[in-house]
Amino acid sequence: SQTIHQWPATLVQPVGSPLSLECTVEGTSNPNLYWYRQAAGRGLQLLFYSVGIGQISSEVPQNLSASRPQDRQFILSSKKLLLSDSGFYLCAWSVQGGRRAFFGQGTRLTVV
Amino acid sequence: SQQGEEDPQALSIQEGENATMNCSYKTSINNLQWYRQNSGRGLVHLILIRSNEREKHSGRLRVTLDTSKKSSSLLITASRAADTASYFCATPIYSGAGSYQLTFGKGTKLSVIP
């Protein structure tokens, strides 16, 4: 069966510090991978998606970047965090060309 | 950009009552999905309805789709306190090369009072 792991669960970082959130998927090959951000009480905003290794599409200009160094690994990064980067970050995967998405448990990031 | 828009934003009902949430979307779709999110957790897929379907059931869930009105509804019958969560509709938007972006609405926050 497929599983998705996302860590850490919570993170408190000072303004200007770097960020690295990691997401890995098991039990499937060549998945579509997604990073979403959810502000408090709001919907999900798609940040990045990837259809293959090294292939990243950005949806929103921001202080963040994403990388896919391996087929089932998706990393969200920032060189210098801003207060506005605070939020709940969710990683998800779906079958290539498929529809249903499977989500990780999320990372609560607080930038102070 | 957000494709779906849920209504109402918040809903509070007594246990045992039915809960109905609505979703409107903007562009043509080939399917529409509903997800549930418990507070502080990831989303869980509930049900998918294809564009050529008008109604679909799964346990206590009933989903309808009206493509002419670009709208969908999620009905939870005989609600339980454990149904308390936020519910989102989502539509896949084709982004080329066989991949889809799943876009979500802002969700309906459902509270079921015991």
Side-chain angles (χ1 to χ4, degrees):
Chain A
S1 63
Q2 302 90 0
T3 56
I4 179 169
H5 303 279
Q6 184 182 343
W7 67 93
T10 59
L11 192 59
V12 180
Q13 292 284 96
V15 169
S17 64
L19 173 73
S20 181
L21 302 181
E22 189 162 343
C23 173
T24 59
V25 180
E26 296 177 357
T28 187
S29 296
N30 199 27
N32 282 359
L33 295 171
Y34 308 87
W35 279 111
Y36 289 89
R37 177 169 60 198
Q38 185 177 29
R42 300 185 66 180
L44 277 72
Q45 179 186 38
L46 179 63
L47 301 176
F48 300 95
Y49 70 95
S50 172
V51 300
I53 295 174
Q55 299 178 63
I56 310 293
S57 296
S58 174
E59 286 300 297
V60 181
Q62 60 222 327
N63 186 41
L64 303 169
S65 63
S67 62
R68 184 170 179 173
Q70 300 180 42
D71 181 45
R72 289 170 288 178
Q73 184 184 27
F74 206 22
I75 298 172
L76 183 68
S77 304
S78 174
K79 292 182 179 178
K80 290 185 178 181
L81 284 169
L82 305 172
L83 286 174
S84 58
D85 292 322
S86 294
F88 191 52
Y89 288 83
L90 288 157
C91 180
W93 74 271
S94 65
V95 172
Q96 195 85 323
R99 312 294 191 269
R100 173 180 174 172
F102 300 85
F103 282 81
Q105 288 303 300
T107 296
R108 174 77 57 195
L109 172 65
T110 304
V111 182
V112 296
Chain B
S1 61
Q2 287 184 314
Q3 161 82 311
E5 194 76 28
E6 290 89 346
D7 171 62
Q9 291 187 0
L11 180 61
S12 184
I13 60 174
Q14 295 289 329
E15 200 166 29
E17 294 180 339
N18 295 342
T20 300
M21 290 158 269
N22 303 296
C23 168
S24 59
Y25 58 92
K26 298 174 183 175
T27 62
S28 297
I29 58 172
N30 52 23
N31 72 74
L32 185 142
Q33 304 171 39
W34 284 91
Y35 288 78
R36 166 192 169 127
Q37 182 183 33
N38 286 357
S39 181
R41 306 297 295 272
L43 279 72
V44 176
H45 177 93
L46 294 176
I47 195 165
L48 179 153
I49 185 165
R50 301 185 196 284
S51 60
N52 60 354
E53 298 176 308
R54 291 296 168 259
E55 188 172 311
K56 198 164 183 179
H57 297 254
S58 177
R60 293 184 296 112
L61 305 180
R62 173 179 169 250
V63 169
T64 62
L65 179 64
D66 187 334
T67 54
S68 66
K69 295 181 180 178
K70 290 187 168 59
S71 67
S72 174
S73 67
L74 171 67
L75 168 68
I76 303 175
T77 60
S79 64
R80 305 166 181 169
D83 294 329
T84 294
S86 291
Y87 293 82
F88 296 86
C89 67
T91 53
I93 297 177
Y94 187 65
S95 53
S99 68
Y100 290 79
Q101 300 175 38
L102 203 56
T103 60
F104 290 80
K106 294 182 179 180
T108 293
K109 189 169 185 178
L110 173 66
S111 299
V112 181
I113 303 166

